[in-house]
Amino acid sequence: MDMIHVDGKDRGPIYLYALSTCGWCAKTKEFLSSLGVAFDYVFVDQLPKDEMEQTYSEMLQLYNPLGSFPTLVINGKAIIGYQENEIREALAE
Amino acid sequence: MIPDEQVEKEYLRLKKEAEAGGYRLNPDREFVAGLVRGLLTNTERYGYPACPCRLATGERETDLDIICPCDYRDPDLTDHGACYCALYVSAEVASGKAEAKPVPERRPPGGPKKGEARPSGRVAGSLPLPVWRCRVCGYLCARENPPEICPICKAGKDRFERFI
């Protein structure tokens, strides 16, 4: 699956599974940008059907069995929902 | 891309409808504009306003419980002061006395099982008419069939379940 890259400081692999229509996803994306870290994101709702199903089931199995958005993965650790404090902590580790 | 004027028009319609039914929209105008844009986008995509913060399948039957206002709005307002996407908020949050807290997803993964909460049929025989319950707002009515549109929350006929 193709993720969209956002340039910034390299703090390890950071992946954001988001929906293009979701307010909390937008806030999470803005927050990461404001911290100046490099990350990759994907709008799952905008993927072609096959890719959407594949990406969603990958997110579900690996990171978030609830299947909710946003699901953010920082160095392998999943953060569910818009959680400023958890994001800061995960980046400080 | 949905034009700004259309978003504004839909926002005003939702606000009026919410307030007429005793509900309130999130006072953060910019945030709400994003959600309204998402609802309009989903209506364009699927033909119904699926929750902007959930991944819809595009099959109305499967997505019924997440059509806005979703089946989970009222319990989330009670427990967290906001619905899952935070379009609707409690009076306390609307007036700025409290802040909307993150709302954990209460929808079962993949949606509710079909045929859940079916009536037992025990009482049904003794009533002259079946009782229908709006799954969004809890409105009850006793008539042969559910109304076209819920008179309280405006949810469609297919959001009703047989209660008794």
Side-chain angles (χ1 to χ4, degrees), chain B residues 34-47:
Chain B
L35 293 174
V36 173
R37 189 177 292 282
L39 286 169
L40 291 169
T41 302
N42 282 348
T43 304
E44 244 180 34
R45 272 184 195 160
Y46 311 121

Side-chain angles (χ1 to χ4, degrees), chain B residues 76-97:
Chain B
D76 280 341
L77 281 177
T78 307
D79 293 350
H80 306 287
C83 71
Y84 182 68
C85 73
L87 174 65
Y88 293 96
V89 296
S90 66
E92 264 202 305
V93 172
S95 64
K97 281 184 204 141

Side-chain angles (χ1 to χ4, degrees), chain B residues 50-64:
Chain B
C51 173
C53 295
R54 289 170 167 123
L55 185 64
T57 62
E59 290 159 27
R60 189 179 166 96
E61 172 82 0
T62 312
D63 297 337
L64 265 188

Side-chain angles (χ1 to χ4, degrees), chain A residues 3 5 7 14 17 20 23 33 46-49 52 58-59 62 64 74 76 80 83 90 92:
Chain A
M3 285 213 160
H5 185 71
D7 272 332
I14 303 177
Y17 294 89
S20 69
S33 297
Q46 289 183 339
L47 296 173
K49 198 165 184 290
M52 178 196 289
E58 170 194 295
M59 182 189 106
L62 295 178
N64 180 6
I74 299 181
I80 317 296
Q83 312 279 1

Side-chain angles (χ1 to χ4, degrees), chain B residues 42-156:
Chain B
N42 282 348
T43 304
E44 244 180 34
R45 272 184 195 160
Y46 311 121
Y48 48 85
C51 173
C53 295
R54 289 170 167 123
L55 185 64
T57 62
E59 290 159 27
R60 189 179 166 96
E61 172 82 0
T62 312
D63 297 337
L64 265 188
D65 62 314
I66 53 166
I67 294 177
C68 185
C70 70
D71 287 12
Y72 314 103
R73 174 182 65 174
D74 287 17
D76 280 341
L77 281 177
T78 307
D79 293 350
H80 306 287
C83 71
Y84 182 68
C85 73
L87 174 65
Y88 293 96
V89 296
S90 66
E92 264 202 305
V93 172
S95 64
K97 281 184 204 141
E99 228 179 292
K101 284 173 274 175
V103 178
E105 174 63 294
R106 71 167 72 225
R107 183 191 201 215
K113 286 195 194 79
K114 297 280 167 290
E116 241 174 38
R118 286 290 114 193
S120 66
R122 254 184 312 131
V123 215
S126 60
L127 293 172
L129 289 167
V131 176
W132 300 93
R133 175 183 180 275
C134 173
R135 295 198 335 229
V136 177
C137 72
Y139 167 74
L140 296 175
C141 56
R143 43 190 275 178
E144 288 295 352
N145 290 297
E148 280 298 316
I149 292 168
C150 174
I152 306 302
C153 74
K154 317 297 179 216

Side-chain angles (χ1 to χ4, degrees), chain A residues 7-92:
Chain A
D7 272 332
K9 286 173 280 183
D10 181 13
R11 305 298 302 274
I14 303 177
Y15 302 116
L16 173 65
Y17 294 89
L19 298 176
S20 69
T21 49
C22 163
W24 297 115
C25 297
K27 272 188 178 283
T28 305
K29 202 163 145 265
E30 278 162 29
F31 185 62
L32 286 173
S33 297
S34 76
L35 295 174
V37 296
F39 66 97
D40 293 277
Y41 73 93
V42 60
F43 284 143
V44 180
D45 59 319
Q46 289 183 339
L47 296 173
K49 198 165 184 290
D50 290 0
E51 241 179 283
M52 178 196 289
E53 281 169 6
Q54 199 187 332
T55 306
Y56 189 56
S57 83
E58 170 194 295
M59 182 189 106
L60 221 75
Q61 282 165 21
L62 295 178
Y63 305 115
N64 180 6
L66 283 177
S68 58
F69 294 91
T71 294
L72 175 64
V73 185
I74 299 181
N75 289 313
K77 182 184 184 252
I79 297 173
I80 317 296
Y82 176 61
Q83 312 279 1
E84 284 192 16
N85 291 340
E86 279 188 43
I87 295 172
R88 280 186 208 280
E89 277 168 32
L91 287 172

